[in-house]
PDB file of all heavy atoms in Angstrom:
ATOM      1  N   PHE A 200      24.128   3.154  -0.056  1.00  0.00           N
ATOM      2  CA  PHE A 200      24.620   1.830   0.311  1.00  0.00           C
ATOM      3  C   PHE A 200      24.245   0.771  -0.726  1.00  0.00           C
ATOM      4  O   PHE A 200      24.789  -0.343  -0.717  1.00  0.00           O
ATOM      5  CB  PHE A 200      24.112   1.420   1.702  1.00  0.00           C
ATOM      6  CG  PHE A 200      22.650   1.044   1.768  1.00  0.00           C
ATOM      7  CD1 PHE A 200      22.238  -0.266   1.572  1.00  0.00           C
ATOM      8  CD2 PHE A 200      21.686   2.003   2.038  1.00  0.00           C
ATOM      9  CE1 PHE A 200      20.899  -0.613   1.646  1.00  0.00           C
ATOM     10  CE2 PHE A 200      20.349   1.666   2.114  1.00  0.00           C
ATOM     11  CZ  PHE A 200      19.951   0.358   1.915  1.00  0.00           C
ATOM     12  N   ALA A 201      23.327   1.110  -1.631  1.00  0.00           N
ATOM     13  CA  ALA A 201      22.945   0.234  -2.734  1.00  0.00           C
ATOM     14  C   ALA A 201      22.193   1.082  -3.753  1.00  0.00           C
ATOM     15  O   ALA A 201      21.693   2.166  -3.416  1.00  0.00           O
ATOM     16  CB  ALA A 201      22.079  -0.926  -2.256  1.00  0.00           C
ATOM     17  N   ILE A 202      22.129   0.601  -4.988  1.00  0.00           N
ATOM     18  CA  ILE A 202      21.461   1.354  -6.050  1.00  0.00           C
ATOM     19  C   ILE A 202      20.612   0.406  -6.888  1.00  0.00           C
ATOM     20  O   ILE A 202      21.125  -0.608  -7.394  1.00  0.00           O
ATOM     21  CB  ILE A 202      22.480   2.056  -6.977  1.00  0.00           C
ATOM     22  CG1 ILE A 202      23.367   3.018  -6.181  1.00  0.00           C
ATOM     23  CG2 ILE A 202      21.761   2.802  -8.102  1.00  0.00           C
ATOM     24  CD1 ILE A 202      24.552   3.549  -6.977  1.00  0.00           C
ATOM     25  N   VAL A 203      19.332   0.727  -7.032  1.00  0.00           N
ATOM     26  CA  VAL A 203      18.453  -0.023  -7.918  1.00  0.00           C
ATOM     27  C   VAL A 203      18.686   0.458  -9.355  1.00  0.00           C
ATOM     28  O   VAL A 203      18.695   1.658  -9.623  1.00  0.00           O
ATOM     29  CB  VAL A 203      16.978   0.168  -7.533  1.00  0.00           C
ATOM     30  CG1 VAL A 203      16.048  -0.428  -8.598  1.00  0.00           C
ATOM     31  CG2 VAL A 203      16.697  -0.465  -6.172  1.00  0.00           C
ATOM     32  N   LEU A 204      18.890  -0.501 -10.252  1.00  0.00           N
ATOM     33  CA  LEU A 204      18.986  -0.215 -11.683  1.00  0.00           C
ATOM     34  C   LEU A 204      17.745  -0.810 -12.337  1.00  0.00           C
ATOM     35  O   LEU A 204      17.615  -2.026 -12.441  1.00  0.00           O
ATOM     36  CB  LEU A 204      20.238  -0.854 -12.290  1.00  0.00           C
ATOM     37  CG  LEU A 204      21.593  -0.427 -11.728  1.00  0.00           C
ATOM     38  CD1 LEU A 204      22.714  -1.232 -12.380  1.00  0.00           C
ATOM     39  CD2 LEU A 204      21.823   1.065 -11.941  1.00  0.00           C
ATOM     40  N   GLU A 205      16.837   0.052 -12.766  1.00  0.00           N
ATOM     41  CA  GLU A 205      15.563  -0.440 -13.301  1.00  0.00           C
ATOM     42  C   GLU A 205      15.435  -0.161 -14.793  1.00  0.00           C
ATOM     43  O   GLU A 205      15.683   0.955 -15.264  1.00  0.00           O
ATOM     44  CB  GLU A 205      14.376   0.198 -12.580  1.00  0.00           C
ATOM     45  CG  GLU A 205      13.031  -0.270 -13.135  1.00  0.00           C
ATOM     46  CD  GLU A 205      11.826   0.158 -12.332  1.00  0.00           C
ATOM     47  OE1 GLU A 205      12.004   0.856 -11.316  1.00  0.00           O
ATOM     48  OE2 GLU A 205      10.701  -0.201 -12.726  1.00  0.00           O
ATOM     49  N   GLY A 206      15.012  -1.200 -15.518  1.00  0.00           N
ATOM     50  CA  GLY A 206      14.649  -1.042 -16.919  1.00  0.00           C
ATOM     51  C   GLY A 206      15.729  -0.437 -17.785  1.00  0.00           C
ATOM     52  O   GLY A 206      15.455   0.459 -18.569  1.00  0.00           O
ATOM     53  N   VAL A 207      16.960  -0.933 -17.656  1.00  0.00           N
ATOM     54  CA  VAL A 207      18.053  -0.419 -18.494  1.00  0.00           C
ATOM     55  C   VAL A 207      18.609  -1.558 -19.338  1.00  0.00           C
ATOM     56  O   VAL A 207      18.519  -2.731 -18.964  1.00  0.00           O
ATOM     57  CB  VAL A 207      19.176   0.222 -17.649  1.00  0.00           C
ATOM     58  CG1 VAL A 207      18.636   1.371 -16.827  1.00  0.00           C
ATOM     59  CG2 VAL A 207      19.836  -0.797 -16.735  1.00  0.00           C
ATOM     60  N   LEU A 208      19.173  -1.222 -20.482  1.00  0.00           N
ATOM     61  CA  LEU A 208      19.772  -2.243 -21.331  1.00  0.00           C
ATOM     62  C   LEU A 208      20.860  -2.993 -20.565  1.00  0.00           C
ATOM     63  O   LEU A 208      21.619  -2.398 -19.793  1.00  0.00           O
ATOM     64  CB  LEU A 208      20.367  -1.602 -22.583  1.00  0.00           C
ATOM     65  CG  LEU A 208      19.406  -0.848 -23.505  1.00  0.00           C
ATOM     66  CD1 LEU A 208      20.100  -0.488 -24.807  1.00  0.00           C
ATOM     67  CD2 LEU A 208      18.139  -1.659 -23.788  1.00  0.00           C
ATOM     68  N   GLU A 209      20.940  -4.285 -20.792  1.00  0.00           N
ATOM     69  CA  GLU A 209      21.843  -5.116 -19.991  1.00  0.00           C
ATOM     70  C   GLU A 209      23.301  -4.651 -20.020  1.00  0.00           C
ATOM     71  O   GLU A 209      23.944  -4.606 -18.960  1.00  0.00           O
ATOM     72  CB  GLU A 209      21.746  -6.585 -20.417  1.00  0.00           C
ATOM     73  CG  GLU A 209      22.602  -7.478 -19.536  1.00  0.00           C
ATOM     74  CD  GLU A 209      22.336  -8.954 -19.731  1.00  0.00           C
ATOM     75  OE1 GLU A 209      22.066  -9.347 -20.887  1.00  0.00           O
ATOM     76  OE2 GLU A 209      22.424  -9.707 -18.750  1.00  0.00           O
ATOM     77  N   PRO A 210      23.868  -4.293 -21.172  1.00  0.00           N
ATOM     78  CA  PRO A 210      25.266  -3.835 -21.145  1.00  0.00           C
ATOM     79  C   PRO A 210      25.478  -2.604 -20.266  1.00  0.00           C
ATOM     80  O   PRO A 210      26.529  -2.463 -19.627  1.00  0.00           O
ATOM     81  CB  PRO A 210      25.560  -3.511 -22.619  1.00  0.00           C
ATOM     82  CG  PRO A 210      24.587  -4.335 -23.388  1.00  0.00           C
ATOM     83  CD  PRO A 210      23.349  -4.372 -22.551  1.00  0.00           C
ATOM     84  N   ILE A 211      24.474  -1.740 -20.207  1.00  0.00           N
ATOM     85  CA  ILE A 211      24.572  -0.543 -19.364  1.00  0.00           C
ATOM     86  C   ILE A 211      24.514  -0.940 -17.890  1.00  0.00           C
ATOM     87  O   ILE A 211      25.242  -0.399 -17.054  1.00  0.00           O
ATOM     88  CB  ILE A 211      23.448   0.458 -19.690  1.00  0.00           C
ATOM     89  CG1 ILE A 211      23.393   0.741 -21.196  1.00  0.00           C
ATOM     90  CG2 ILE A 211      23.634   1.745 -18.912  1.00  0.00           C
ATOM     91  CD1 ILE A 211      24.702   1.151 -21.799  1.00  0.00           C
TER      92      ILE A 211
END
Side-chain angles (χ1 to χ4, degrees):
F200 73 90
I202 301 169
V203 171
L204 300 176
E205 179 171 1
V207 301
L208 299 190
E209 184 169 36
I211 309 308

